[in-house]
């Protein structure tokens, strides 16, 4: 169904302000859909201005980054490191492989 994809890498530039305003429910809906389809969701890019505006968002991002399904990463390189189990000392998850077979995130077409 997903041609072997296991991670959705979603650039911040593709998201509207409503995604970062948790009261809209948009972020939760998108995150839940990814989890329902057993995909990891990675929001890629600088979200510092959104974090500065919302303590609820800061809390959610902090909790999400501790987990294995939803992540906020500053770059594709940091996502690749996380997938390889190097970010923050996280061990590879059960669906991850060793570094001999690296998974590369795939961005949607521009």
């Amino acid at each position: 169904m997903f041609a072997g994809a296991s991670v959705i890498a979603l650039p911040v530039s593709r998201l509207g302000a409503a995604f970062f305003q948790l009261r809209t429910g948009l972020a939760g809906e998108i995150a839940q859909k990814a989890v329902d389809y057993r995909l990891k969701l990675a929001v890629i890019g600088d979200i510092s201005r959104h974090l500065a505006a919302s303590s609820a968002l800061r809390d959610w991002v902090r909790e999400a980054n501790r987990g294995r399904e939803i992540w906020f990463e500053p770059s594709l390189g940091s996502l690749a490191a996380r997938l390889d189990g190097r970010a923050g000392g996280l061990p590879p998850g059960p669906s991850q492989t060793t570094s001999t077979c690296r998974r590369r995130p795939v961005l949607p077409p521009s």
Side-chain angles (χ1 to χ4, degrees), residues 63-89:
E63 289 300 315
N65 282 338
R66 290 180 183 160
R68 294 188 178 269
E69 296 157 337
I70 304 164
W71 302 317
F72 293 81
E73 292 291 341
S75 67
L76 286 174
S78 64
L79 174 59
R82 182 183 283 268
L83 291 172
D84 282 343
R86 296 188 312 255

Side-chain angles (χ1 to χ4, degrees), residues 29-72:
E29 288 180 36
I30 292 172
Q32 187 60 53
K33 192 60 75 173
V35 170
D36 289 347
Y37 284 100
R38 296 185 180 136
L39 296 169
K40 294 175 183 353
L41 173 65
V43 177
I44 308 297
D46 180 14
I47 62 168
S48 58
R49 72 181 175 96
H50 300 291
L51 295 175
S54 171
S55 62
L57 179 63
R58 279 192 304 274
D59 292 342
W60 185 54
V61 168
R62 184 175 39 253
E63 289 300 315
N65 282 338
R66 290 180 183 160
R68 294 188 178 269
E69 296 157 337
I70 304 164
W71 302 317
F72 293 81

Side-chain angles (χ1 to χ4, degrees), residues 40 68 71 80-101 103:
K40 294 175 183 353
R68 294 188 178 269
W71 302 317
R82 182 183 283 268
L83 291 172
D84 282 343
R86 296 188 312 255
L90 292 174
S95 64
Q96 293 176 302
T97 59
T98 63
S99 61
T100 58
C101 181
R103 293 189 179 157

